[in-house]
Amino acid sequence: MNNIVAEKITVAPVERKDGTYALRLCLKHGQLTAGMMKTVLDTMAEFGLTSLRATTGQRMNLEGISRENLDGVIAALGASVEKAPLTTSVCSGAGICKYGMQESYGMADKLLEVVKANGPYPFKVKSGVSGCKMGCGLSFIRDIGMVGGPKGWEVHFGSSARKDAGLGVMLGSKLTEEEALGVAAKALTFYKENGRNRERTSGMLRRLGTEAVLEAVK
Ligand code: SF4
């Protein structure tokens, strides 16, 4: 175990109904490294914590921390406390998965930069990157989603997994990485300029129609 490097962990505290706290471990690409796991397990043992829960957002929640132990747990984790940073759902992609057509992690980092650079938006923007059409990175149900194909990337916009769930519109296919990111940036700018307050991309798409968005990304 001595060769395991304990990387820095970023956490965001979340208060629970019963007065306890969870610490959201903010992972990059959903990965919990060996060093992080050792630190987390040692901390759980020290404070008698029993629940480390995977979230739908590819993070981990360390649950059941009492108010009086919260600072001690954060210190034991050696963690920095921040508002949970914006993230994108991402699958393992062509670098790991045998079905992968395109490499996902690099695209996820670049898409996240595009999302950040074009904000602020009328409401939250969720993004996803998948290395193939299986869509494990939730690309087909996100505000903006990239899907890898044999000849490049597809860009999907305005999908939703909420109560009015549905697919949005495909804005392009067989695109290079640069082209796909350019299309995403145009679509997000259109949303910033045309979305109503607290209206998700899916609502704007229904209100204005797919042609308006397709025209904006030409
Ligand atoms: S979307 Fe495709 S490449 Fe990504 S994990 Fe799923 S099957 Fe693999």
Side-chain angles (χ1 to χ4, degrees):
M1 297 283 266
N2 290 339
N3 61 347
I4 293 177
V5 178
E7 295 92 328
K8 192 80 177 166
I9 300 173
T10 300
V11 296
V14 183
E15 190 170 7
R16 296 304 194 200
K17 279 168 81 173
D18 64 359
T20 66
Y21 284 77
L23 283 177
R24 185 157 295 159
L25 311 184
C26 302
L27 311 177
K28 185 171 183 184
H29 302 153
Q31 293 191 82
L32 194 59
T33 66
M36 288 179 181
M37 282 192 279
K38 181 175 185 309
T39 303
V40 171
L41 290 174
D42 288 349
T43 302
M44 291 178 76
E46 181 181 346
F47 288 88
L49 302 173
T50 57
S51 174
L52 182 64
R53 186 176 63 81
T55 74
T56 54
Q58 297 188 323
R59 293 169 171 146
M60 299 294 287
N61 280 353
L62 185 54
E63 300 279 356
I65 305 166
S66 64
R67 178 70 194 89
E68 52 272 23
N69 279 343
L70 185 60
D71 290 343
V73 171
I74 292 170
L77 291 171
S80 57
V81 180
E82 293 176 23
K83 186 170 178 281
L86 192 64
T87 186
T88 185
S89 302
V90 60
C91 79
S92 47
I96 298 173
C97 177
K98 65 181 180 179
Y99 301 112
M101 298 285 179
Q102 302 291 332
E103 197 277 313
S104 296
Y105 290 156
M107 175 57 104
D109 292 343
K110 289 173 185 163
L111 179 59
L112 200 54
E113 288 308 311
V114 167
V115 172
K116 287 180 187 170
N118 284 278
Y121 302 103
F123 205 11
K124 67 173 72 173
V125 169
K126 293 189 173 185
S127 58
V129 176
S130 304
C132 79
K133 291 189 181 186
M134 301 278 250
C136 303
L138 309 182
S139 312
F140 293 111
I141 54 169
R142 293 304 205 195
D143 297 282
I144 187 84
M146 302 293 194
V147 178
K151 294 186 177 171
W153 291 95
E154 291 178 0
V155 181
H156 295 260
F157 177 78
S159 305
S160 168
R162 306 170 81 205
K163 66 176 169 43
D164 52 357
L167 296 180
V169 58
M170 186 170 75
L171 300 178
S173 63
K174 301 178 186 170
L175 302 175
T176 65
E177 184 179 84
E178 191 179 354
E179 289 169 340
L181 291 166
V183 167
K186 285 182 184 175
L188 290 168
T189 299
F190 183 81
Y191 172 52
K192 177 168 71 177
E193 294 173 351
N194 294 282
R196 291 174 174 164
N197 186 36
R198 296 183 66 81
E199 180 182 52
R200 291 288 289 271
T201 57
S202 54
M204 182 194 72
L205 194 62
R206 275 194 302 276
R207 180 169 56 82
L208 299 179
T210 57
E211 286 305 320
V213 182
L214 287 168
E215 185 64 29
V217 303
K218 272 184 180 169

